[in-house]
Amino acid sequence: MIVDCAIYRDGRRTDGPEDFSDALGEAREAGGFVWIGLHEPTEKEFELVSQEFGLHPLAVEDALKAHQRPKLEVYDDSVFAVLKPVVYEPDSDAVSTGELMIFLGDAFAVVVRHGEGSPLKAVRRRLEHEPELLGKGPTAVLYAIADATVDHYLDVAVELQTDLEELEAEVFSPDGGGSRHTASRIYTFKRQVLEFRRATGPLAPPLARLAGTGVYGGGVPFVNDRARPFFRDVSDHLTRVNESVESLDRLVSDILSAHLAQTSVRQNDDMRKISAWAAMAAVPTMVAGIYGMNFDHMPELHWMWGYPAVIALMAVLELLLYRQFKHRGWL
């Protein structure tokens, strides 16, 4: 469905005509651009948009099917960018991702949204209150969306860091994270970090290309070269996010290893206790077994104090074994 459609002239919004071709022609004549927002359009709904704006069929296919990695592709009549906004859900401590497909041309910006994790409404409102920035054309739309998306990455990274500290406190608590659900929580958290990483990691090369840094020194068609410093700022923020994600991934792996080591130590302690009690049970069993063989000629078999003496001997042996195991820390 079409969420919003407007023509922007000199950074000011004017409602666009219903026909996209008329809107595009009007925007070009006035030196402005058309900004269209769509939410999970069907193939039929998007067909008219793609025809009127001359969008490349491969990019259209990606926009309809979604499930794309963050990327930047250049076609003859447009630039196609994919971003993956991330949403942190505090109730479930889970990370979910959406997708934003941005088509950028000489006088248009078409944004296709999949999922709920997108900052588009806030971005449009913010840009409409900054006509000087919005007057830069479609490049301003791409910059503002990328900036809002990456800034939200920073917020999500902070939330995940808080969750990791809570998980770390649980694992290294006095009971050593003895809950049987601890390992499951650690693994689930690692999956959340992986989901976050899939959104942030692949975005680095596209932003570097827009910023004109590294091996991506050439310009990008339909993107104003004067916007490079702004994209460099977004790229720097993304670098911070990726460093945080790397740190989270390493720490959660270390926590999982520590939890498994603690579990192994506890199991060894349990086995030592079981072995100690088994050894203590073996001594009276052995003595009783010897005197239970029913031979006629056995030492002290017919002695009046034989039974109390054997019981006392077993008690003394048990006490000696108990003190020895206790001293070694086995009990």
Side-chain angles (χ1 to χ4, degrees), residues 4-304:
D4 201 351
C5 175
I7 296 176
Y8 294 89
R9 302 185 183 93
D10 299 323
R12 304 293 179 180
R13 176 186 176 121
T14 59
D15 291 333
E18 295 182 359
D19 188 86
F20 296 133
S21 59
D22 293 342
L24 183 58
E26 185 178 334
R28 283 173 173 163
E29 290 178 3
F33 71 96
V34 182
W35 182 358
I36 299 176
L38 302 100
H39 179 228
E40 298 181 357
T42 63
E43 184 176 350
K44 184 176 181 180
E45 290 173 338
F46 200 59
E47 183 179 0
L48 177 60
V49 178
S50 62
Q51 289 177 354
E52 294 294 345
F53 290 93
L55 305 180
H56 197 280
L58 292 178
V60 171
E61 182 181 358
D62 289 344
L64 289 173
K65 292 184 176 179
H67 304 295
Q68 303 296 316
R69 287 166 53 90
K71 61 182 179 179
L72 179 70
E73 295 180 349
V74 178
Y75 298 101
D76 293 336
D77 299 322
S78 63
V79 171
F80 179 60
V82 178
L83 304 176
K84 294 182 75 69
V86 174
V87 174
Y88 176 82
E89 300 171 1
D91 294 337
S92 58
D93 294 337
V95 170
S96 61
T97 58
E99 289 190 44
L100 291 174
M101 284 74 171
I102 306 168
F103 296 87
L104 220 63
D106 60 336
F108 66 86
V110 177
V111 183
V112 181
R113 174 167 62 94
H114 290 269
E116 299 300 326
S118 66
L120 293 186
K121 289 184 179 179
V123 168
R124 191 183 284 262
R125 285 197 301 267
R126 180 168 69 87
L127 281 177
E128 290 177 352
H129 285 83
E130 298 182 22
E132 184 178 353
L133 177 59
L134 193 55
K136 304 298 182 183
T139 301
V141 176
L142 177 59
Y143 160 72
I145 293 176
D147 184 53
T149 301
V150 173
D151 283 348
H152 194 60
Y153 287 165
L154 291 170
D155 297 334
V156 173
V158 171
E159 295 289 348
L160 289 177
Q161 181 65 41
T162 301
D163 288 347
L164 180 63
E165 291 173 358
E166 294 175 356
L167 193 59
E168 187 177 22
E170 177 182 339
V171 170
F172 293 102
S173 60
D175 63 351
S179 173
R180 60 182 178 180
H181 300 296
T182 301
S184 176
R185 284 195 59 198
I186 296 174
Y187 182 75
T188 300
F189 184 85
K190 193 171 180 65
R191 289 292 302 269
Q192 303 301 325
V193 173
L194 178 60
E195 184 73 14
F196 191 25
R197 192 174 190 173
R198 287 173 178 169
T200 63
L203 185 57
L207 280 181
R209 186 175 181 181
L210 290 169
T213 58
V215 297
Y216 307 99
V220 179
F222 310 109
V223 177
N224 195 323
D225 289 340
R226 295 182 179 180
R228 286 185 176 184
F230 296 94
F231 284 111
R232 277 200 295 270
D233 180 67
V234 178
S235 181
D236 290 341
H237 290 176
L238 182 64
T239 300
R240 287 173 51 195
V241 172
N242 285 328
E243 289 175 351
S244 297
V245 173
E246 290 289 340
S247 176
L248 288 171
D249 189 52
R250 288 196 301 269
L251 285 174
V252 73
S253 296
D254 292 342
I255 289 175
L256 179 59
S257 298
H259 174 67
L260 294 177
Q262 287 180 329
T263 302
S264 178
V265 169
R266 285 196 302 271
Q267 289 176 344
N268 289 337
D269 289 341
D270 292 342
M271 288 303 300
R272 286 193 301 179
K273 291 179 181 179
I274 293 173
S275 299
W277 286 112
M280 292 173 63
V283 170
T285 301
M286 179 187 67
V287 175
I290 292 175
Y291 279 90
M293 290 188 294
N294 296 323
F295 289 115
D296 289 335
H297 303 287
M298 294 182 66
E300 318 301 341
L301 188 62
H302 300 288
W303 183 37
M304 182 180 64

